[in-house]
Amino acid sequence: MRAFGQAAGTAGPPGSDRGSPTVTRRRWLEQAGRALRGTEASRRTAELLLCAVLDTTRVALIAHPDREVPPEAEERLAELLARRLAGEPLAYLLGWREFYGRSFEVDAATLIPRPETEHLVDEALARLPERTVHFADLGTGSGCLAVTLAAERPFWKGVAVDISEHALETARRNAERLDAADRLTFVCADFTRPGFWDAGDAGLHLVVSNPPYVGEAEYAALDPGVRDYEPKTALVPGPTGLEHPRAVVEAAWHILRPGGLLLMEHGATQGEAVRALCPPERWQDVETGRDLAGLDRYLAAVHR
Ligand SMILES: C[S@@+](CC[C@H](N)C(=O)[O-])C[C@H]1O[C@@H](n2cnc3c(N)ncnc32)[C@H](O)[C@@H]1O
């Protein structure tokens, strides 16, 4: 464990030195925060790890800072800190990430839900009236989109599709924990396969999707925290990055009813290319939505 203290350029955290006395929560947080670079975000990371390992809340940590960290917990914490310092995303260490105010289980087979994907939820809820809506989520991963829509609108019903059976199991568990499982069906399928849409319902009101859209060259330049830990199949569809967005637009055209809405996330430089996938004889009201950074982030298009 000394190695990770050295990697951070600071002394190791409590527990990194075998035989060191037991430490209090306060002291562990101070030292772990420093090892993680000493920023406000580092302190928050240290708190989240300590809460997870002690199975307690932030309020309890603040209320009882002088309680001792048991030696077994210290060992587990040292291991998690070493993994974080090596670049592993916090969400994989904790086993969850928050999305639209709910906690979603994640693991190495599921993409970590991103805040920019919440725009698809905002847009769907704002555009569709308060009545029964039948929807599909193509490439559901952790289920963050499908489960959130079903949780926000208990009278909506959805099909969550993914090529990864492992990801679907995680999505199913998230749906059960968040009381949305009875309105969702989980289907293991490849949405790029010609005729994928033949097996399903052709009268949907809504298709949402955050498909893999990173091209091979862009992937090589990604932050190692993403490239080395998140599943490549969730990120890269092929050389250009447009292969799966094209397949989603095609599938959506077949499974939406006339007037049905497609909302699909894409890369910040893909707005124009993605709009070009929606010819006027098939789609109307084709628009690009922006994220909070002002970058092109998603397609909205209405089936003719
Ligand atoms: C970018 S992730 C999005 C996950 C989740 N919807 C989210 O927003 O966090 C893309 C998902 O599409 C799935 N996927 C990739 N290729 C697929 C295919 N051909 N058919 C179905 N799902 C696919 C991946 O397994 C992954 O879960």
Side-chain angles (χ1 to χ4, degrees), residues 124-125 127-138 145-146 149-150 153-161 182-185 200-209 251-252 254-263 303:
L125 298 181
R127 284 180 178 237
L128 291 166
E130 303 243 343
R131 61 176 162 80
T132 301
V133 162
H134 292 269
F135 70 90
D137 173 15
L138 303 185
L145 281 171
L149 291 175
R153 294 281 188 271
F155 39 91
W156 288 18
K157 293 190 171 68
V159 182
V161 176
D182 59 337
R183 281 104 64 207
L184 294 173
T185 308
D201 188 349
L204 300 184
H205 303 95
L206 171 69
V207 169
V208 290
S209 182
H254 288 274
I255 59 182
L256 283 170
R257 62 176 59 195
L261 175 66
L262 166 63
L263 295 171
H303 188 294

Side-chain angles (χ1 to χ4, degrees), residues 47-63:
E47 281 176 357
L48 286 167
L49 291 174
L50 191 53
C51 286
V53 169
L54 298 181
D55 193 18
T56 191
T57 62
R58 188 159 178 254
V59 172
L61 285 190
I62 293 165

Side-chain angles (χ1 to χ4, degrees), residues 17-289:
D17 181 9
R18 295 282 144 253
S20 62
T22 320
V23 293
T24 62
R25 295 169 170 187
R26 185 203 313 272
R27 189 160 150 68
W28 188 88
L29 280 173
E30 283 165 3
Q31 295 200 14
R34 273 201 299 279
L36 284 162
R37 302 271 182 270
T39 63
E40 189 57 38
S42 311
R43 165 85 191 186
R44 177 85 183 124
T45 296
E47 281 176 357
L48 286 167
L49 291 174
L50 191 53
C51 286
V53 169
L54 298 181
D55 193 18
T56 191
T57 62
R58 188 159 178 254
V59 172
L61 285 190
I62 293 165
H64 306 290
D66 294 319
R67 284 197 182 156
E68 287 190 345
V69 178
E72 330 73 75
E74 239 190 294
E75 245 174 64
R76 173 83 182 124
L77 284 161
E79 182 220 322
L80 291 175
L81 266 174
R83 285 167 59 189
R84 181 70 199 106
L85 286 166
E88 189 165 342
L90 180 62
Y92 288 151
L93 299 179
L94 298 172
W96 61 271
R97 169 55 54 91
E98 193 174 301
F99 182 83
Y100 219 82
R102 295 179 181 81
S103 184
F104 282 80
E105 179 190 328
V106 291
D107 67 17
T110 55
L111 190 91
I112 300 167
R114 307 293 205 268
E116 53 268 32
T117 306
E118 295 181 349
H119 288 295
L120 297 190
V121 177
D122 282 338
E123 199 70 46
L125 298 181
R127 284 180 178 237
L128 291 166
E130 303 243 343
R131 61 176 162 80
T132 301
V133 162
H134 292 269
F135 70 90
D137 173 15
L138 303 185
T140 199
S142 64
C144 58
L145 281 171
V147 173
T148 300
L149 291 175
E152 290 289 321
R153 294 281 188 271
F155 39 91
W156 288 18
K157 293 190 171 68
V159 182
V161 176
D162 208 285
I163 200 163
S164 157
E165 187 57 67
H166 187 124
L168 278 176
E169 272 166 25
T170 304
R172 235 181 245 124
R173 275 196 301 280
N174 280 321
E176 272 154 24
R177 194 171 29 79
L178 295 167
D179 285 335
D182 59 337
R183 281 104 64 207
L184 294 173
T185 308
F186 296 89
V187 176
C188 190
D190 178 351
F191 59 62
T192 67
R193 194 177 49 79
F196 151 76
W197 47 84
D198 289 343
D201 188 349
L204 300 184
H205 303 95
L206 171 69
V207 169
V208 290
S209 182
N210 174 17
Y213 55 70
V214 179
E216 285 287 359
E218 198 189 338
Y219 180 72
L222 278 185
D223 182 315
V226 175
R227 208 184 47 220
D228 297 348
Y229 292 96
E230 300 206 57
K232 190 175 179 189
T233 46
L235 292 162
V236 181
T240 70
L242 284 170
E243 295 83 353
H244 282 24
R246 181 178 295 107
V248 166
V249 172
E250 179 68 17
W253 192 77
H254 288 274
I255 59 182
L256 283 170
R257 62 176 59 195
L261 175 66
L262 166 63
L263 295 171
M264 180 181 71
E265 184 170 319
H266 58 68
T269 59
Q270 293 173 330
E272 194 181 338
V274 165
R275 285 194 306 277
L277 300 174
C278 302
E281 61 279 12
R282 285 189 165 193
W283 299 95
Q284 58 190 339
D285 301 331
V286 177
E287 293 166 31
T288 298

